[in-house]
Amino acid sequence: KIVDAHPFSRAADIAKEEQARGTPEAGYVKVAGGGREITPEYLRECVGSRFSGKKKTRRKGGKGDSVVSSLPHVDSWSSFLALLKILERYGCVVASPNDKYAVTMKGDLVGAINWDNPLLATSLLGLTWDLSSKADEKNAERIREAVAQMSVGDAAAFASLVVAEHSGGGEYYEPKRKGGEDDDSPFSQALAGAMKAASKLGKTQSSEAVDLSENPCSVSTALVLASRLWAEGSDFEDCQAATGMQAGDLARALTRVGDVLRQWSDVVDGDFKAVALKARDSVLREPVIET
């Protein structure tokens, strides 16, 4: 077919125009396309796959490579629409009567985070929450109060929650108890709130059929002890002993902790901003280096 006569030409043109203008919608287009260029032919594949139920695949790698992965088609588009609903629910975008979306200040914060699940990263700081839930709003407020009182070691430990590295037989952090009550330290208070926030977001994503493998929504305490020790000046060997991880794996994980701290410092104000930057500098020292 002649491209100009293709039924999806105008839709593809609009997508390209948004990307060229660098508007907030351009990011949505990128997600919807799964990284592929959105052409009329690609849109036809999406619609064809939706009605046929067939899933096209392609072979990755060089000649003889048997690794096969799915081409992003309607699943990417469905995931995009689901994510858009969640962003609206969390106050990151606002729909207008003409079916267009405006990005809010919360949306700008989420957009500033370059992570697997940026909405999770901001929710852990109490910057975003489900606006329909008063309980979530109160939980976010408690998180912000606790985060504002964190030390450098606390900040590094807290940032490690979203770093997906698994301990190689080391210890996982467990909140201490005093007289049968949970530890009321700023870190433990923030951790309790963060776990609630992650659980709520995960359930929300699941209810909207968002692919959790592409938008992970969980926190892990596997690196809490090592991150705290390292940020507070302990030897690398002591941090390695706390996790049981190989030196290279731990160094890479702590580099990611430093990156989380850098990105968080870009979206917060007040005392925690300075603490996050100081923690980042404390984490990024040999043999941990910024990449």
Side-chain angles (χ1 to χ4, degrees):
K1 291 184 179 181
I2 299 175
V3 173
D4 290 341
H6 198 287
F8 294 108
S9 292
R10 182 54 187 152
D13 288 343
I14 292 173
K16 290 179 180 179
E17 288 171 6
E18 293 298 332
Q19 289 177 314
R21 290 166 55 195
T23 62
E25 288 77 10
Y28 305 152
V29 170
K30 182 178 179 181
V31 172
R36 290 183 62 187
E37 179 184 3
I38 297 183
T39 63
E41 290 74 22
Y42 170 70
L43 294 176
R44 182 177 61 185
E45 286 181 23
C46 292
V47 175
S49 298
R50 183 179 184 87
F51 288 102
S52 68
K54 295 179 180 179
K55 197 169 188 177
K56 296 182 179 296
T57 59
R58 64 176 175 183
R59 190 174 300 275
K60 295 178 66 178
K63 186 175 181 180
D65 191 344
S66 61
V67 178
V68 177
S69 68
S70 300
L71 279 173
H73 53 291
V74 71
D75 290 341
S76 294
W77 180 252
S78 298
S79 182
F80 158 67
L81 293 178
L83 287 172
L84 193 57
K85 288 182 181 178
I86 294 173
L87 289 172
E88 184 175 8
R89 188 166 168 176
Y90 274 68
C92 300
V93 296
V94 177
S96 59
N98 58 0
D99 291 331
K100 290 189 176 181
Y101 285 85
V103 179
T104 66
M105 291 181 65
K106 283 181 170 52
D108 288 336
L109 295 179
V110 173
I113 299 291
N114 181 23
W115 207 251
D116 296 334
N117 190 337
L119 185 55
L120 172 62
T122 55
S123 295
L124 296 187
L125 291 175
L127 300 177
T128 50
W129 62 89
D130 185 347
L131 298 183
S132 67
S133 170
K134 288 293 184 182
D136 286 0
E137 183 177 358
K138 290 182 179 179
N139 184 55
E141 184 178 351
R142 286 193 293 268
I143 292 175
R144 292 195 300 273
E145 290 175 352
V147 165
Q149 302 175 57
M150 281 186 174
S151 65
V152 168
D154 288 337
F158 198 59
S160 75
L161 296 177
V162 291
V163 176
E165 296 284 349
H166 297 287
S167 174
E171 299 180 32
Y172 281 72
Y173 174 85
E174 293 185 6
K176 298 177 181 178
R177 295 180 178 274
K178 294 180 180 178
E181 297 295 330
D182 287 336
D183 183 6
D184 59 359
S185 69
F187 176 79
S188 291
Q189 291 295 309
L191 175 60
M195 288 183 167
K196 289 180 181 178
S199 176
K200 175 59 182 290
L201 180 56
K203 290 177 180 177
T204 302
Q205 289 184 170
S206 296
S207 69
E208 295 292 348
V210 172
D211 186 353
L212 294 180
S213 66
E214 295 183 358
N215 300 276
C217 195
S218 61
V219 295
S220 171
T221 61
L223 288 169
V224 163
L225 296 176
S227 298
R228 180 188 296 280
L229 288 171
W230 184 242
E232 292 178 345
S234 294
D235 292 335
F236 189 78
E237 290 74 17
D238 293 335
C239 300
Q240 192 176 349
T243 63
M245 296 172 65
Q246 296 294 321
D249 294 336
L250 179 57
R252 182 177 65 251
L254 290 173
T255 299
R256 299 185 71 197
V257 170
D259 187 44
V260 175
L261 290 164
R262 175 189 61 79
Q263 295 193 53
W264 275 354
S265 70
D266 290 336
V267 298
V268 297
D269 295 315
D271 294 338
F272 185 69
K273 185 180 187 72
V275 171
L277 286 172
K278 188 173 181 179
R280 171 189 174 274
D281 292 341
S282 297
V283 167
L284 296 179
R285 55 188 175 91
E286 293 290 346
V288 179
I289 57 174
E290 186 173 15
T291 58

